[in-house]
């Protein structure tokens, strides 16, 4: 039997990590549809996730940067201006009428206004955002720990995933959504962010609230959050793969 700290096994896992990483280097816009590639994605996803969890401790933190590294302008990608009537109405009134709905497998479903979220303990972190398209950008995010919001509503024992429902439709016309497991959701750097670089989140970057999951690739970080749903399975959400891009061939586990 090989143990996790066996050097041979560790080298194997490191190689697997690199292989998983290389597969990720296809662009956000280049969607792979072949079955072979799909199963490779699935297999490398599971392996990468296992490898990460053996090599990195449960609580390992994403690197944080000094203020001088903050990019003058944080690049925007994907949807940059949601077009739905509802979103436009909310934006026109500075998101004063916006509420985050938290529901599903929770004890007390609740709606949070932006003011209510700003009243909760805040965390600020300067991190690097990595998009699979091959660009990175360093920015400073301020928000409330997702774990604190989850504790407020009480997560039921049967819940396994947190699903983030967004306001925008992207190519294909589906609503953007994403999901995390509870371990990633309770990571101390997983935030519901309302400020970027000390100012309210711009619309291009996900106003009024977006997810930051700093150990994951950019596509996991859902913008324009409307609703958070606790579920025991991802099968019945979207097309069943756990996210808008996952439904189009990307890995659900996007750890970096
Ligand atoms: N709702 C929503 N969230 C989204 C996207 C999107 O199109 N819609 N694009 C994703 C991708 S691929 C990236 S790289 C980041 C981009 O975030 P930014 O616009 O702040 O750079 O948001 C992610 N979250
Ligand atoms: Mo991305």
């Amino acid at each position: 039997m090989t143990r996790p700290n066996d050097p041979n096994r560790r080298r194997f896992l490191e190689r697997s990590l690199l292989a998983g990483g290389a597969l990720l280097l296809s662009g956000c816009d280049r969607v792979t549809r072949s079955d072979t590639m799909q199963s490779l994605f699935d297999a490398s996803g599971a392996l990468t996730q296992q490898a990460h969890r053996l090599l990195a401790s449960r609580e390992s933190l994403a690197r944080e940067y000094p203020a001088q590294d903050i990019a003058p302008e944080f690049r925007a990608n994907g949807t940059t201006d949601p077009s739905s009537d509802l979103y436009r109405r909310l934006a026109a009134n500075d998101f004063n009428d916006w509420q985050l709905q938290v529901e599903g497998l929770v004890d007390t479903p609740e709606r949070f206004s932006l003011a209510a979220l700003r009243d909760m303990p805040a965390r600020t972190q300067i991190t690097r955002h990595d998009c699979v398209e091959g660009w990175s950008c360093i920015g400073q995010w301020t928000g409330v720990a997702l774990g604190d919001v989850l504790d407020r509503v009480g997560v039921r024992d049967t819940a396994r995933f947190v699903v983030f429902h967004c306001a925008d439709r992207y190519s294909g016309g589906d609503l953007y959504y994403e999901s995390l497991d509870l371990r990633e959701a309770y990571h101390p750097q997983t935030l519901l962010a309302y400020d970027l670089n000390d100012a309210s989140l711009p619309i291009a970057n996900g106003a009024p609230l977006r997810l930051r999951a700093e150990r994951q690739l950019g596509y996991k970080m859902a913008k324009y959050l409307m609703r958070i749903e606790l579920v025991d399975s991802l099968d019945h959400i979207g097309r069943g793969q756990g996210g808008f891009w996952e439904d189009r061939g990307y890995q659900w586990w996007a750890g970096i």
Side-chain angles (χ1 to χ4, degrees), residues 69-104:
D69 290 345
I70 295 173
E73 195 184 341
F74 198 89
R75 183 168 166 173
N77 197 40
T79 303
T80 53
D81 194 7
S83 58
S84 76
D85 289 346
L86 173 62
Y87 185 85
R88 285 187 181 279
R89 265 204 313 279
L90 293 168
N93 194 24
D94 261 345
F95 300 104
N96 284 312
D97 310 318
W98 171 93
Q99 288 189 320
L100 177 73
Q101 207 178 330
V102 187
E103 59 174 22

Side-chain angles (χ1 to χ4, degrees), residues 53-54 58 66 82 125 178 208 241 246:
R53 287 188 171 159
L54 284 169
R58 186 193 198 299
Q125 58 201 24
E178 258 302 337
Q241 301 304 307
E246 288 87 330

Side-chain angles (χ1 to χ4, degrees), residues 229-241:
E229 186 184 6
L230 279 287
V231 297
D232 59 1
S233 156
L234 298 169
D235 292 350
H236 60 289
I237 314 280
R239 302 184 191 173
Q241 301 304 307

Side-chain angles (χ1 to χ4, degrees), residues 26-31 77 131-135 170 218-219 245 250:
S26 64
C28 274
D29 296 328
R30 272 191 286 137
V31 179
N77 197 40
C131 172
V132 279
E133 286 174 2
W135 56 270
Y170 198 59
Y219 63 88
W245 285 113
Y250 278 52

Side-chain angles (χ1 to χ4, degrees), residues 28 74-79 129 166 168 176 205 210 218 221 223:
C28 274
F74 198 89
R75 183 168 166 173
N77 197 40
T79 303
H129 177 106
C166 307
D168 61 310
Y176 202 96
N205 305 105
R210 67 106 42 98
M221 310 213 203
K223 307 195 281 188

Side-chain angles (χ1 to χ4, degrees), residues 104-148:
L105 298 173
V106 300
D107 295 330
T108 47
E110 204 174 321
R111 289 171 178 270
F112 295 85
S113 68
L114 213 45
L117 293 172
R118 284 184 180 276
D119 275 348
M120 293 177 68
R123 179 185 162 95
T124 295
Q125 58 201 24
I126 301 172
T127 53
R128 197 182 72 186
H129 177 106
D130 294 306
C131 172
V132 279
E133 286 174 2
W135 56 270
S136 301
C137 208
I138 293 177
Q140 175 189 281
W141 304 97
T142 302
V144 55
L146 173 60
D148 287 350

Side-chain angles (χ1 to χ4, degrees), residues 3-16 54-56:
R3 279 165 294 134
N5 58 0
D6 173 328
N8 289 325
R9 179 167 170 79
R10 190 182 165 96
R11 266 197 300 279
F12 164 72
L13 288 171
E14 281 164 350
R15 274 202 305 274
S16 309
L54 284 169
L55 292 173

